[in-house]
Amino acid sequence: MAKKENVNKPFYKKWWVWVIAAIVLFPIVGGGGEEETTEKATTDVKEEQPKEEKKEELKAVDQEAFKSYASNITGGTFIKNISVTDNKGLVEYYGSFEEYKQANPNSNLTETDYKGYFETGDAIEKILVSENTRLLRQFPELTATSMALPYGGKTYSIDLERKEVNEYLGFKVEELTPGADGSWNKVFNDPIVYDDANRKKFFGKFVEVK
């Protein structure tokens, strides 16, 4: 009987070579797919994130324009200080005629003139109710106005927030127009300032007396 020839197969045709190759290469191939999937998922998440809306910057109140306008309100001659800080207006009156005269020694105004601004009728009520609201109307950039008016041993003060006064009145004061035929008189001055009951109600709501 003839002997079988012992023929050696090339190593790459042996079954155990392919098993080892499969074990080595599988994690590489599989890992690459996972990395690609993860990267794609991350990209999708980034794309889905909403863009941040840009906050509208509040326009600053013109300091000089505010000072010029506020100096002409009722009793403006006796105003001690006018300023705007962070879009909040401030008006401060002199505490007495003596204080005014000391700061303005060349003024020809008398104490009678001084009293005439604040003692006639309900002058103080009208100033605090009307003039603060008028400043908010005139300068839409203002978020609030404050006023301090010392007189007769008392100090009348008001901190009028635009949002609060608009909610109280039921309309936006910045949308009113001045003038004899304007909405300022028809909607605010006549029914609020010159109506005793409504003026006192507004005064009691927003003004503090010490």
Side-chain angles (χ1 to χ4, degrees), residues 70-80 93 117-118 127 131 149:
S71 64
N72 291 301
I73 65 175
T74 305
T77 303
F78 299 105
I79 290 178
K80 178 181 180 180
Y93 285 83
Y117 277 98
F118 305 114
I127 289 173
E131 301 299 2
L149 198 166

Side-chain angles (χ1 to χ4, degrees), residues 19-187:
V19 172
I20 295 173
I23 293 173
V24 173
L25 294 176
F26 179 76
I28 299 175
V29 175
E34 183 179 352
E35 184 178 351
E36 183 180 352
T37 303
T38 304
E39 184 177 351
K40 186 177 184 303
T42 305
T43 304
D44 292 342
V45 171
K46 289 181 179 179
E47 290 177 354
E48 290 175 2
Q49 290 179 348
K51 295 180 180 179
E52 293 184 3
E53 296 181 1
K54 292 183 179 179
K55 294 182 179 180
E56 185 178 350
E57 293 184 1
L58 187 64
K59 183 180 178 182
V61 178
D62 187 318
Q63 290 267 357
E64 294 306 315
F66 180 79
K67 290 180 180 181
S68 176
Y69 189 89
S71 64
N72 291 301
I73 65 175
T74 305
T77 303
F78 299 105
I79 290 178
K80 178 181 180 180
N81 177 54
I82 300 171
S83 63
V84 180
T85 304
D86 296 330
N87 282 19
K88 295 181 179 180
L90 172 64
V91 177
E92 296 176 299
Y93 285 83
Y94 284 105
S96 64
F97 178 74
E98 289 73 20
E99 184 183 0
Y100 163 76
K101 194 66 177 178
Q102 186 176 0
N104 301 273
N106 297 324
S107 173
N108 294 322
L109 293 176
T110 65
E111 189 168 3
T112 302
D113 297 322
Y114 172 74
K115 291 180 178 180
Y117 277 98
F118 305 114
E119 289 186 354
T120 306
D122 298 303
I124 292 178
E125 280 188 9
K126 291 175 181 176
I127 289 173
L128 290 164
V129 173
S130 176
E131 301 299 2
N132 282 279
T133 310
R134 182 154 74 101
L135 291 172
L136 290 175
R137 182 211 71 196
Q138 188 68 20
F139 297 91
E141 300 86 4
L142 283 175
T143 58
T145 58
S146 297
M147 183 178 287
L149 198 166
Y151 188 79
K154 298 179 180 179
T155 297
Y156 302 83
S157 59
I158 184 172
D159 293 307
L160 200 59
E161 297 281 343
R162 179 182 297 280
K163 182 179 179 181
E164 188 176 5
V165 73
N166 282 348
E167 289 177 353
Y168 174 83
L169 294 171
F171 55 82
K172 295 181 178 181
V173 296
E174 61 268 24
E175 294 180 354
L176 302 181
T177 55
D181 299 324
S183 55
W184 172 250
N185 287 332
K186 294 178 181 178
V187 179

